[in-house]
Amino acid sequence: MKTPRGLQPLLDDGVIDEVLHRLQSGKEAEIFVIRRGYTVCCAKVYKDVDHRGFHRLAEYQEGRRARGSRDARAMNRRSKRGNKVQESQWKNAEVSALYRLAEAGVRVPEPMGVFDGVLLMERVVDADGDTAPQLGQVTMTAEQAREWYACLVGEIVRMLCAGVIHGDLSEYNVLLDANGPVIIDLPQAVDAAGNNNAFRMLARDVNNLRATFGRFAPELLATEYAREIWALYEAGTLTPDAILTGEFTVEEHAADVDAVLDQIEEARLEAEARQRGREEAEGDH
């Protein structure tokens, strides 16, 4: 295949040896399968900020600080320099989150370094050695749905204990390898302690997965893991091995409003996720 422009410097410098094929093309980045010596892995080439389609950017950037006052002013003015700083922060957020979460034992692709702005990482494969499918591509039994949902709730807890919230978790950025779910795509990851939207994002992640698995195991739709997890986090008692019940009682006066907002948000997110999946599928053809 023709070498992508973003990967040519890595070939020239001997960082990678061969570009095998494009694996995925999304709104924020393209993923290529590459070879480094005898190792086959993935390279993530980020698209320029002007060509990205990700929405709600300001919501995710809250809490991310520019290194100096000059950079901060440039970002506020949305100058050319500010856009470059913003672009750097966007890429660094995923790299930082991957290393942080891998260290915490979260099931994410193993990061292998960043070269000329390109992230190299483990290629997630299934039991046959083929590229692992997205969760949204798999039909599951009710038992599998319960098992995988419990696994992902546990991973979300482990992430939060490491101070990270995914922020855009859905059936399209969870892969299923031979041992279960693997969480991918983290450029929008946020610092739980530094973002005022942290609970909303956590709830969105949890409830989006709840809707996905609830299609196969309807009883999961009645669970309230997001509120339970956040209550433990706010109380300072959340641990990676916390025993959760999926039950949470909210105050009566807030229940109706919250329920309506949750339903609206879940419907919107599911529509967004499906649209994103269609766009990414179209980009692969």
Side-chain angles (χ1 to χ4, degrees):
M1 66 171 290
K2 182 179 178 180
T3 302
R5 184 176 62 179
L7 293 179
Q8 189 61 56
L10 278 66
L11 283 168
D12 294 342
D13 294 342
V15 175
I16 64 176
D17 297 297
E18 184 180 5
V19 181
L20 301 178
H21 61 86
R22 188 176 72 174
L23 179 63
Q24 184 181 17
S25 179
K27 296 188 296 295
E28 291 86 48
E30 290 184 298
I31 310 292
F32 295 89
V33 177
I34 56 99
R35 181 177 61 82
R36 299 183 74 197
Y38 295 106
T39 301
V40 175
C41 53
C42 287
K44 186 167 189 174
V45 181
Y46 296 92
K47 294 182 178 179
D48 293 338
V49 66
D50 293 337
H51 296 97
R52 281 206 300 261
F54 197 79
H55 303 294
R56 306 186 307 276
L57 189 58
E59 182 180 20
Y60 292 91
Q61 287 186 325
E62 182 179 330
R64 297 180 185 177
R65 299 289 180 240
R67 285 180 295 180
S69 58
R70 182 185 177 193
D71 287 344
R73 288 194 300 271
M75 288 178 65
N76 289 334
R77 291 196 305 268
R78 299 184 181 276
S79 65
K80 185 175 181 180
R81 176 186 176 85
N83 287 338
K84 288 184 178 180
V85 174
Q86 178 178 298
E87 184 75 6
S88 177
Q89 285 189 343
W90 184 259
K91 295 177 182 179
N92 290 341
E94 176 160 37
V95 175
S96 174
L98 272 180
Y99 276 102
R100 193 170 172 181
L101 296 178
E103 178 69 21
V106 179
R107 299 201 77 222
V108 295
E110 178 187 356
M112 298 177 176
V114 180
F115 305 88
D116 288 325
V118 176
L119 170 62
L120 302 186
M121 57 187 171
E122 172 191 9
R123 176 178 174 240
V124 181
V125 298
D126 62 16
D128 298 321
D130 298 321
T131 299
Q134 294 175 335
L135 178 63
Q137 298 172 323
V138 175
T139 299
M140 63 194 84
T141 64
E143 182 179 358
Q144 286 174 324
R146 288 189 287 267
E147 177 186 345
W148 288 339
Y149 184 47
C151 173
L152 282 167
V153 168
E155 293 298 274
I156 289 171
V157 167
R158 196 174 296 275
M159 290 173 68
L160 186 56
C161 288
V164 177
I165 295 173
H166 187 288
D168 192 39
L169 197 56
S170 77
E171 60 190 293
Y172 295 105
N173 43 36
V174 174
L175 302 181
L176 290 171
D177 73 2
N179 297 309
V182 178
I183 295 172
I184 63 171
D185 290 342
L186 289 145
Q188 69 292 320
V190 299
D191 187 328
N195 192 302
N196 290 325
N197 301 297
F199 170 65
R200 182 184 301 175
M201 292 182 182
L202 177 78
R204 193 160 59 201
D205 287 351
V206 175
N207 294 341
N208 199 28
L209 292 177
R210 180 180 67 183
T212 295
F213 289 109
R215 296 199 299 267
F216 303 95
E219 72 275 11
L220 296 178
L221 296 174
T223 58
E224 289 289 350
Y225 284 111
R227 296 180 187 278
E228 182 182 12
I229 291 168
W230 192 254
L232 293 174
Y233 176 73
E234 285 193 313
T237 58
L238 185 67
T239 62
D241 56 354
I243 298 175
L244 304 175
T245 65
E247 300 176 359
F248 188 81
T249 302
V250 297
E251 294 181 12
E252 201 61 36
H253 72 274
D256 291 342
V257 174
D258 287 343
V260 171
L261 291 175
D262 282 347
Q263 290 175 7
I264 294 172
E265 183 69 0
E266 285 170 20
R268 183 184 66 78
L269 282 171
E270 186 161 355
E272 277 188 5
R274 291 188 181 282
Q275 178 63 25
R276 183 164 57 247
R278 286 193 293 269
E279 290 176 356
E280 291 178 352
E282 289 172 0
D284 290 336
H285 295 293

